[in-house]
């Protein structure tokens, strides 16, 4: 595996899941693989869980780690070709990327959507430049459209906490005060479709995710109907994906607070577990009572980020 962006990159899910639980039982079993190898983690955006879990996974596997915050302590980088660089950006990504590749064996990239140009974001312009010009294996630490490390960790968590063979998993939109990207729901939809679960997406009309991630998944606009009998509720806000109206891309076109997940919502489920990728805005996405309840598994979910990343890095090390 030389790149990790989408669910198909991980190969058969049953093997990936077995590997995840093997690593969870012995996190240092494959420490020899990373000896004298260096991971460079490049952040164009803020991070807590991704930064900590990825660094911990790499250290568990014996790697050295370099962390670069592009917006704090590095030259400002230009990403567009054909521009006259007479502004505040001193270095072009096309020179910076091969230089970064000189100092490491593997690269993780975190670069969010700008939410102004859908074509630019969904082309994964920044990530693709790293893949093309770095000369190194590259994995996504959340990009303009996907967050596969999170979705993989989500699947591990569902496997750990499910009480039936084929659980009902619901991805629900919830209101937010800021326009957020679609990366987490995109990847969650993609991974749940590949898994053996009964998957349902619920959101206000007009918030349809890109069909390439949703596929033939069931979409239910009535949130109560979607929640009925659910074993897992995955709450997440996303801004308008611009699928039905391109002019709405990246905008907040609904602030309907009735979508906030509270105790009444959870009462519609089959004693469902509550999930969220974090950070979460309490009172908007979810109420205190729900996120603090015994059925909230957001902390174990976050902990599994170390495991999902360990599997990805291990696979890349094995292919070097």
């Amino acid at each position: 595996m030389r790149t990790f962006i989408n669910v198909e990159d991980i190969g058969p899910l049953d093997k990936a899941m077995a590997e995840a639980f093997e690593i969870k039982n012995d996190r240092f079993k494959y420490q020899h693989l990373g000896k004298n190898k260096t991971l460079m983690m490049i952040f164009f955006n803020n991070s807590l869980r991704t930064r900590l879990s990825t660094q911990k996974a790499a250290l568990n596997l014996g790697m050295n780690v370099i962390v670069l915050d592009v917006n704090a302590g590095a030259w400002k980088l230009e990403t567009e070709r054909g521009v006259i660089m007479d502004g505040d950006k001193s270095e072009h990504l096309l020179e910076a990327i091969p230089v970064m590749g000189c100092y490491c064996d593997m690269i993780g990239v975190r670069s969010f959507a700008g939410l102004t140009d859908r074509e630019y974001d969904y082309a994964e312009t920044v990530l693709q430049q790293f893949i093309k010009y770095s000369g190194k294996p590259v994995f996504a630490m959340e990009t303009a459209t996907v967050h596969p490390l999170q979705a993989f960790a989500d699947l591990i968590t569902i496997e750990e906490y499910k009480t039936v063979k084929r659980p009902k998993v619901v991805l629900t939109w919830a209101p937010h005060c800021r326009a957020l990207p679609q990366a987490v729901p995109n990847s969650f939809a993609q991974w749940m479709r590949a898994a053996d679960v009964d998957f349902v997406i619920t959101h206000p009309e007009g918030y349809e995710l890109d069909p390439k991630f949703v596929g033939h998944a069931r979409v239910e606009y009535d949130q109560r109907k979607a929640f009925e009998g659910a074993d897992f509720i995955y709450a997440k806000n996303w801004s308008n994906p611009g699928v039905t109206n391109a002019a709405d891309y990246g905008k907040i076109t609904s602030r309907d607070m009735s979508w906030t997940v509270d105790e009444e919502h959870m009462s519609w489920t089959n004693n469902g577990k509550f999930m969220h990728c974090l950070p979460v805005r309490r009172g908007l996405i979810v109420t205190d009572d729900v996120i603090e309840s015994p059925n909230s598994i957001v902390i174990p979910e976050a902990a599994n980020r170390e495991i999902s990343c360990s599997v990805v890095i291990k696979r890349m090390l094995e292919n070097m």
Side-chain angles (χ1 to χ4, degrees):
M1 184 168 69
R2 192 164 176 85
T3 59
F4 177 70
I5 305 169
N6 299 304
V7 66
E8 56 264 26
D9 297 326
I10 204 71
L13 271 185
D14 57 344
K15 292 183 179 179
M17 295 296 286
E19 202 166 325
F21 288 111
E22 177 193 22
I23 287 173
K24 193 161 188 176
N25 288 329
D26 185 355
R27 298 170 197 238
F28 305 101
K29 181 176 181 179
Y30 297 100
Q31 206 170 39
H32 61 283
L33 290 175
K35 185 178 181 181
N36 298 327
K37 298 286 196 305
T38 298
L39 167 66
M40 181 175 288
M41 299 164 56
I42 300 166
F43 291 89
F44 290 84
N45 301 94
N46 294 338
S47 175
L48 190 152
R49 277 147 296 278
T50 297
R51 180 187 296 256
L52 297 178
S53 62
T54 306
Q55 188 164 357
K56 181 66 164 60
L59 293 171
N60 289 353
L61 290 163
M63 299 189 79
N64 303 310
V65 180
I66 299 172
V67 179
L68 176 65
D69 284 300
V70 171
N71 297 317
W75 299 114
K76 289 188 177 180
L77 297 177
E78 178 58 65
T79 60
E80 298 285 349
R81 294 186 76 255
V83 300
I84 298 173
M85 292 175 57
D86 59 355
D88 64 343
K89 296 176 180 177
S90 306
E91 185 163 7
H92 203 287
L93 205 60
L94 294 181
E95 284 79 62
I97 289 173
V99 168
M100 294 174 193
C102 293
Y103 306 140
C104 65
D105 302 282
M106 185 186 305
I107 295 175
V109 179
R110 184 174 178 91
S111 178
F112 292 175
L115 296 179
T116 57
D117 184 336
R118 190 181 195 282
E119 184 177 351
Y120 181 89
D121 288 344
Y122 273 72
E124 290 290 5
T125 306
V126 173
L127 179 68
Q128 290 300 329
Q129 288 184 85
F130 275 93
I131 293 170
K132 184 175 182 179
Y133 297 113
S134 70
K136 304 297 179 181
V138 175
F139 64 90
M141 299 192 301
E142 187 170 356
T143 69
T145 67
V146 293
H147 197 351
L149 291 173
Q150 179 65 54
F152 188 9
D154 296 334
L155 184 57
I156 294 168
T157 309
I158 289 169
E159 184 65 24
E160 286 181 312
Y161 283 88
K162 72 181 185 181
T163 58
V164 296
K165 182 175 177 162
R166 191 169 188 267
K168 181 178 179 180
V169 180
V170 178
L171 169 64
T172 180
W173 179 92
H176 203 281
C177 56
R178 296 178 56 212
L180 299 183
Q182 299 99 43
V184 169
N186 282 344
S187 279
F188 189 75
Q190 189 182 52
W191 284 70
M192 290 305 108
R193 283 175 47 227
D196 186 19
V197 301
D198 176 13
F199 181 52
V200 181
I201 305 172
T202 184
H203 55 71
E205 292 193 41
Y207 268 79
E208 290 77 11
L209 296 167
D210 193 294
K212 74 178 179 180
F213 299 109
V214 173
H216 296 293
R218 176 183 158 202
V219 177
E220 174 57 69
Y221 296 109
D222 185 323
Q223 193 183 28
R224 180 164 188 157
K225 284 184 181 178
F227 274 47
E228 288 175 354
D231 299 290
F232 295 91
I233 297 297
Y234 196 104
K236 184 68 180 78
N237 173 266
W238 60 90
S239 61
N240 197 302
V243 172
T244 57
N245 185 356
D248 286 336
Y249 176 64
K251 295 180 180 177
I252 298 174
T253 53
S254 176
R255 299 178 185 270
D256 188 348
M257 292 293 289
S258 71
W259 285 76
T260 300
V261 180
D262 59 16
E263 286 187 312
E264 181 184 357
H265 285 72
M266 296 304 292
S267 74
W268 304 334
T269 71
N270 181 32
N271 195 32
K273 299 289 192 294
F274 177 81
M275 301 178 70
H276 189 278
C277 60
L278 302 180
V280 66
R281 299 266 186 156
R282 292 186 180 214
L284 289 175
I285 301 290
V286 61
T287 60
D288 290 341
D289 289 342
V290 171
I291 199 168
E292 294 174 10
S293 77
N295 277 17
S296 172
I297 54 174
V298 297
I299 303 305
E301 181 185 359
N304 278 330
R305 291 291 306 279
E306 177 188 343
I307 307 306
S308 63
C309 193
S310 295
V311 174
V312 170
I313 294 176
K314 171 184 173 288
R315 295 248 181 126
M316 288 187 160
L317 287 170
E318 288 173 332
N319 287 333
M320 284 185 177

